[in-house]
Structures are given as C-alpha cells and as structure tokens.
Amino acid sequence: MIGQQAGLMEKVTALCKRRGFVYPSSEIYGGLGGLYDYGPYGVAMRRNIRGLWWRHVVDLRDDVVGLEATILGPEAVWAASGHTVNFTDPLVECRGDCKQRFRADHLESTERCPACGGPLSEPRRFNMMFKTHVGPVEDTASIAYLRPETAQGMFVNFKNVLNSMRVRVPFGIAQQGRSFRNEITHGNFIFRLREFEQMEMEFFVQPGEDERWHAFWIEERLRWYSEVVGIRPERLRLREHADEERAHYAKASTDIEYEYPFGWGELEGIANRTDFDLRTHQEHSGQDLTYQDPETSERYLPYVVEPAVGVDRIMITCLLDAYDEEEVKGETRVVLRLHRDVAPVQVAVMPLSKKDDLIGPAREVQRVLQAVYRVEYDQTGGNIGRRYRRQDEIGTPFCVTIDFETLEDRAVTIRERDSMAQERVPVTGLLDRLRERFA
Ligand code: ATP
C-alpha cells in the first residue's frame, strides 16, 4: 500500500467517476470549484456512513437525541455565535504573475507565492459564510446565511429539547446535514468542499465535568473509526490543537487525523466549546438558557463537548484506506477493501449466463438475500471474471454465482473479494453461511 501512495488520490478520483461514486458537479457546464455530486454507489456509501454514525452516537446510547434544523439562519444567529466576525481564514493574494489566492495558514512561507514565486499580499481576514436574502425585499433585515456548521441549530433549540424531552445533563443533541463554507482553496477531491455534509453532536455537561467528557468522546470516536468503520488504526492519530489555531469558541480541541497521500490531515475535530455558545445566545436573545439540576436545584449554563466530522471526509478516508492493486494472472486487479458495513453493495448475485433456466433461481437467491443484505443483481457486464472485477472495484465483499450445476445440485458458489477464494454451498444453507462469513 505504501508503495502505491504515489498517484493514489488520482486513482481513487478516477475510480469514483468511472464506477458511479462521485462526479464533478454541473460538469457539462464546466463545473464549479469545490462542489461534487454523488452517483448511485456514492449515495449508498454515504447512507451507510451516516447510518453507522447515527447508530453509535445516538441509537446505542440513551443520553443522545436527534435534531434537524434549517440550513438557512437569520443574521442574528450568526452575529451571536461570533461567525459574522470570527469565521474567517487569512487570505493572501499573489502580486506576481499568477494572481492566485491562498490560505496563509496553509503556506510554509508567506513571503513568496508557492505557484510562481512572486510577492504575496499581507494576509486579510476572509469570511467564509455564504450570504443571501430571505423574502422579496433585499434589505438588511432580510439577510440570512447558509450555515457553516450544524452546531448552532442545537444551541438555539437547546431550550426546546430540554422542555419537550425527558433529558437531563449530561446529554447530547446530534444532527446530520449540509453545511457551506466559501473555502479560499478547495481541493484534494472531496476532502475540502464548499458544500459538504456534517455530523455533529453537542454533548451538554456540568461545568467541571467537561474535561472528563472531552477525553471520553475523543477515545470513543477514535475507536469508532477502527472498530466500526474499519479504518487501519496505524493510519490514525490524535493531535491536540495549539493555542493559536483553536476556533474562537473552544477551550481545547483535539483532531483525529488520518495519514492522507498529501500528509496527515484532520478527519474529525473534538472540541470543548465550554458555555460559549449558550452564553452568547442567552445574551443576544434575552432568553434564559440555563439548566436547573432537578436534584440539587443548582442552576447553570452547561459546558459543551462536540465531536464534529464531515460525511465526505469519512468517505474519502475510507476510499483511500481501502484502495488496493495487485497482480493477478499478469493483470492488475483493483480492489476496494471496504468494511462490509460501508461497502455500497454487500452481496452481488450473478447468474452465469442470461439463459432463462438460471434467471429464475438467481432471482430467488436475490430475494432471499435482500431481506438481510444490500444486494445487487448483475446478469450483464460480460463474462463472470469481468463481473467479479467490477464488484472488486466497488468493494463488494461477496459474490454469489448461480451456474448450470445449480439446477442439478441446488448449490451456488460464494466468491470472496479479498482472497478471491470460492466455496460451494447449498442454497438452503446460503444465508447462514453468509452470516458466518460476515461475522
Ligand atoms: P480547517 O481548519 O481544515 O478549515 P476546521 O478545523 O475549521 O477545518 P471544523 O470546523 O472543525 O473544521 O469542521 C469539523 C469537521 O467538518 C472537519 O473535521 C471535517 O471532517 C469537516 N469539514 C470541515 N470543513 C470541511 C470542508 N470544507 N469540506 C469537507 N469537510 C469539511
């Protein structure tokens, strides 16, 4: 794998387009930087990622509830949260030939343009929020923003959730949904986008308990990547933010980083946001956002620990981590060694030929397996070897083949993606055998 790091991003990008995972958005019109559309397998993979996150952050816990807030928010929200002033990146422009723009904190030197060597301007603060107007009159009262993070939805609904649900601190509110950032430099395929999908959870705790919960969620989230999503643990690490790089609301922040082909980069951030957000919304809205402990009657503004990640960021990480090439019979076999719960298709069902005799039993196998797995029925696409290769490229863990012998012995072949080993099993025992192999 290490030897394949060169060109890995390009190979994964090409595979994603070729096999229907990711397409450049509005491509027939030349596209727009930092925007991508997801094709059929991309959609399936993203649903799996969202589902695994929701299951482990919300469903398997009894102290986290869900929320879906709007993407558009009035200016008041973003003024209170500090985003209209502080949600900026330092922008520098080339004053030489190429006139390109860069994020100053991403450059090794702010003296010379990394593209053409020309002089660079002084950094200026560039606000990354997309601004728009709501309603027919474009006046200052109608200004709204596309949210740059989903978190504010949880803070402005804190009292609603508290009053309508039987929640007690410590508890969390989780949300998945689109966020928008007018990034100065987008790039590395879907790593840094201008429209992306976030999964965030605000965990409200008693002040003083925040550091313990921060440590808890860092460990919990790290474990999720290796144990649930199947990312290689040796390619993950934790990195604590230095004082000067922390967001305006955070007391401490730790990133889970992955070793991308371009170096270590942030996969997820876990921040201790203190009571910054509830306090500022309380001040700006004039509403009481305190919590009263039902046992001690103590009243306070809870502190918040927040794990925040992007679906797109997890997707590119899974794809890079899973991509593999190997030599088989003088040909290069491309395999996505995706975790079974992340793979868009779990079992492909294939009749050996298009003859009617085989289609009936193959459809029957499909029907049985569909009740349990994400199944694709594949009777086109040429000979069986070619169809296996296609499933390898989209990361399907198992193929089940129905051949002419099936009609005699009522048995089918299970072919495994990683080893390519084949096993013949009776149709009646197929589901049990797959359950064992998936376990
Ligand atoms: P950076 O400093 O790299 O711009 P950030 O530290 O501001 O990013 P956060 O605000 O912590 O990012 O965002 C939380 C998570 O949301 C990130 O860990 C990442 O998974 C995802 N994310 C943030 N920005 C983007 C983006 N432009 N495209 C895709 N995913 C993103």
Side-chain angles (χ1 to χ4, degrees):
M1 183 76 184
I2 297 290
Q4 295 175 5
Q5 286 286 320
L8 180 60
M9 189 61 100
E10 292 72 19
K11 285 177 181 172
V12 167
T13 307
L15 184 149
C16 280
K17 190 169 173 203
R18 184 169 77 243
R19 290 297 185 204
F21 285 79
V22 186
Y23 313 122
S25 187
S26 308
E27 194 183 13
I28 59 168
Y29 291 103
L32 201 54
L35 300 180
Y36 283 90
D37 293 339
Y38 291 97
Y41 292 130
V43 171
M45 195 171 160
R46 287 161 65 76
R47 289 172 65 96
N48 300 337
I49 292 168
R50 281 190 212 111
L52 290 173
W53 186 90
W54 197 265
R55 178 147 180 78
H56 287 261
V57 175
V58 183
D59 288 347
L60 290 177
R61 303 185 61 89
D62 51 20
D63 55 2
V64 180
V65 294
L67 181 83
E68 283 188 24
T70 57
I71 288 170
L72 275 175
E75 187 167 39
V77 169
W78 306 106
S81 67
H83 282 79
T84 47
V85 175
N86 293 317
F87 198 63
T88 57
D89 274 340
L91 167 72
V92 286
E93 276 173 279
C94 173
R95 296 265 187 259
D97 294 337
C98 78
K99 311 281 183 240
Q100 284 191 58
R101 298 187 170 117
F102 304 93
R103 236 175 95 168
D105 58 330
H106 282 179
L107 297 181
E108 279 180 10
S109 148
T110 47
E111 303 289 310
R112 296 268 140 209
C113 170
C116 72
L120 288 172
S121 68
E122 283 295 304
R124 70 181 164 87
R125 277 150 58 107
F126 171 75
N127 195 296
M128 290 187 291
M129 284 199 294
F130 286 96
K131 198 178 194 176
T132 186
H133 290 270
V134 170
V137 185
E138 286 197 11
D139 60 10
T140 48
S142 71
I143 293 174
Y145 292 90
L146 297 183
R147 64 183 179 195
E149 60 170 26
T150 65
Q152 295 307 319
M154 279 74 109
F155 300 127
V156 299
N157 278 293
F158 175 69
K159 256 295 137 71
N160 282 336
V161 173
L162 210 54
N163 292 339
S164 56
M165 304 296 293
R166 287 166 301 156
V167 284
R168 283 189 183 184
V169 170
F171 76 95
I173 309 179
Q175 178 167 205
Q176 300 181 331
R178 296 271 170 160
S179 290
F180 300 80
R181 295 183 187 181
N182 199 359
E183 299 277 359
I184 296 168
T185 45
H186 58 90
N188 283 321
F189 191 33
I190 56 170
F191 179 85
R192 189 177 298 284
L193 297 167
R194 292 188 165 125
E195 172 175 347
F196 56 103
E197 179 152 343
Q198 280 194 311
M199 305 193 288
E200 298 190 297
M201 196 270 287
E202 311 306 312
F203 200 74
F204 299 92
V205 305
Q206 191 168 5
E209 293 286 295
D210 49 310
E211 289 179 15
R212 187 169 70 78
W213 279 108
H214 193 206
F216 170 86
W217 279 108
I218 292 168
E219 281 313 308
E220 187 63 14
R221 296 299 303 142
L222 185 62
R223 192 184 62 77
W224 184 81
Y225 285 106
S226 56
E227 290 180 16
V228 178
V229 184
I231 305 280
R232 297 156 211 242
E234 66 273 18
R235 288 181 173 247
L236 293 168
R237 73 174 188 196
L238 296 174
R239 192 181 68 82
E240 242 176 85
H241 279 207
D243 288 349
E244 65 279 5
E245 63 175 317
R246 267 199 305 274
H248 63 276
Y249 47 72
K251 159 178 159 185
S253 206
T254 294
D255 288 346
I256 297 177
E257 293 192 330
Y258 180 79
E259 194 175 11
Y260 295 98
F262 50 86
W264 288 94
E266 175 178 340
L267 168 57
E268 167 159 349
I270 301 128
N272 181 343
R273 293 180 78 129
T274 69
D275 62 2
F276 176 89
D277 301 271
L278 287 180
R279 185 171 294 284
T280 188
H281 282 302
Q282 177 166 271
E283 279 165 20
H284 282 77
S285 68
Q287 306 277 325
D288 174 14
L289 298 182
T290 55
Y291 170 79
Q292 186 169 29
D293 187 307
E295 266 148 42
T296 64
S297 296
E298 190 192 345
R299 197 171 262 290
Y300 58 86
L301 279 173
Y303 268 35
V304 172
V305 171
E306 174 202 70
V309 66
V311 176
D312 320 81
R313 192 73 61 95
I314 297 178
M315 184 168 167
I316 185 61
T317 307
C318 287
L319 290 166
L320 291 165
D321 203 58
Y323 186 93
D324 200 7
E325 287 177 4
E326 62 184 17
E327 193 82 0
V328 177
K329 293 186 196 139
E331 281 184 22
T332 304
R333 180 173 88 113
V334 174
V335 201
L336 282 186
R337 300 191 195 278
L338 289 172
H339 188 277
R340 59 177 182 272
D341 293 333
V342 173
V345 177
Q346 291 179 306
V347 186
V349 174
M350 309 175 171
L352 190 66
S353 94
K354 283 191 210 165
K355 294 246 162 57
D356 285 348
D357 311 3
L358 297 188
I359 292 174
R363 287 289 189 193
E364 177 58 18
V365 168
Q366 175 195 14
R367 198 185 57 75
V368 170
L369 297 184
Q370 241 166 7
V372 184
Y373 299 112
R374 292 184 298 279
V375 175
E376 181 172 274
Y377 178 81
D378 183 7
Q379 91 180 21
T380 55
N383 69 41
I384 199 77
R386 226 194 266 136
R387 278 183 276 164
Y388 284 155
R389 290 289 187 276
R390 182 176 163 279
Q391 295 296 335
D392 291 341
E393 277 199 49
I394 65 163
T396 307
F398 293 105
C399 294
V400 171
T401 308
I402 290 86
D403 55 27
F404 290 102
E405 268 177 62
T406 308
L407 304 176
E408 312 286 317
D409 64 0
R410 298 291 296 159
V412 293
T413 302
I414 300 178
R415 185 257 192 195
E416 202 249 338
R417 175 193 69 198
D418 294 342
S419 63
M420 294 183 287
Q422 302 194 7
E423 175 190 17
R424 193 121 183 119
V425 297
V427 174
T428 47
L430 176 62
L431 201 49
D432 285 344
R433 187 65 188 128
L434 279 174
R435 279 208 179 96
E436 280 168 24
R437 304 274 318 250
F438 269 117

